[in-house]
């Protein structure tokens, strides 16, 4: 889809679709021509997202996390929502052009990649192992008095 958008942006008449680009986007194009998107009335849906965005933007409780240095550098006034449906419909609102530190936001993406690469059964064989109850960044010592996971010198 990104290639399709880039091609459309860079052509003089706005519509230039070669065989490769057409083939790579055939499902999306077919759905568009048949008006059979996952969310048929996407503009109305995006309008609801905008309303939720504006409502949530007014919330000012809490504070910027400071236990990770990268997180402490960001302004609490930055706020954005981006979404993409499985069939390529996209909507963004707010400070979407400001780079940010993913931290735990990336965990669902890592999970999806792991399941794709190794299968659900294999990935799930590791879920829930060694629950310590400690914070994810908490250091602790093993029975030899060394930091857990420390390399032997």
């Amino acid at each position: 889809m990104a290639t399709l958008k880039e091609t459309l942006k860079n052509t003089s008449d706005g519509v230039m679709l070669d065989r490769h680009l057409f083939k790579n986007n055939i499902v999306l194009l077919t759905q568009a021509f048949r008006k059979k998107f996952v969310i048929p009335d996407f503009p109305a849906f995006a309008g609801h997202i905008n309303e939720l965005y504006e409502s949530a933007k007014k919330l000012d409780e809490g504070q910027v996390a400071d236990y990770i240095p990268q997180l402490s550098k960001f302004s609490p006034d930055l706020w954005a929502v981006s979404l993409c449906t499985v069939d390529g419909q996209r909507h963004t609102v707010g400070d979407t052009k400001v780079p940010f530190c993913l931290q735990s936001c990336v965990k669902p993406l890592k999970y999806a990649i792991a399941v794709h690469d190794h299968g659900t059964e294999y990935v799930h064989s590791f879920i829930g192992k060694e629950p310590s109850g400690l914070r994810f960044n908490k250091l602790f010592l093993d029975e030899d008095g060394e930091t857990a996971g420390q390399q032997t010198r």
Side-chain angles (χ1 to χ4, degrees):
M1 186 65 181
T3 308
L4 178 60
K5 280 188 175 183
E6 192 62 33
T7 300
L8 292 174
K9 192 171 24 172
N10 293 330
T11 57
S12 59
D13 62 358
V15 182
M16 180 66 165
L17 202 61
D18 65 16
R19 184 179 194 173
H20 175 74
L21 193 56
F22 182 82
K23 183 178 178 183
N24 287 341
N25 291 282
I26 189 66
V27 173
L28 178 62
L29 293 168
T30 301
Q31 289 171 310
F33 289 129
R34 293 181 180 166
K35 295 186 180 179
K36 296 202 179 232
F37 284 111
V38 170
I39 301 173
D41 190 0
F42 193 73
F45 176 77
H48 291 298
I49 296 297
N50 290 346
E51 290 171 16
L52 291 169
Y53 165 83
E54 291 299 333
S55 176
K57 187 176 180 178
K58 297 173 187 169
L59 301 174
D60 61 1
E61 295 91 23
Q63 59 188 22
V64 174
D66 59 3
Y67 57 91
I68 298 174
Q70 295 87 343
L71 295 178
S72 66
K73 297 175 186 175
F74 287 91
S75 166
D77 297 324
L78 295 174
W79 174 239
V81 173
S82 291
L83 63 95
C84 178
T85 63
V86 294
D87 57 4
Q89 298 177 96
R90 295 184 174 117
H91 179 68
T92 61
V93 60
D95 302 307
T96 59
K97 301 293 182 192
V98 177
F100 66 97
C101 185
L102 288 175
Q103 293 300 328
S104 292
C105 295
V106 79
K107 289 178 182 176
L109 300 174
K110 287 181 176 180
Y111 171 76
I113 291 168
V115 167
H116 179 267
D117 290 351
H118 302 289
T120 305
E121 187 175 327
Y122 180 75
V123 171
H124 284 203
S125 71
F126 294 96
I127 293 177
K129 303 292 182 188
E130 301 180 4
S132 68
L134 300 174
R135 288 180 17 183
F136 73 92
N137 59 349
K138 177 77 172 167
L139 294 178
F140 57 93
L141 302 178
D142 63 16
E143 60 274 357
D144 297 323
E146 294 184 3
T147 302
Q150 181 177 347
Q151 296 290 326
T152 307
R153 294 179 187 183

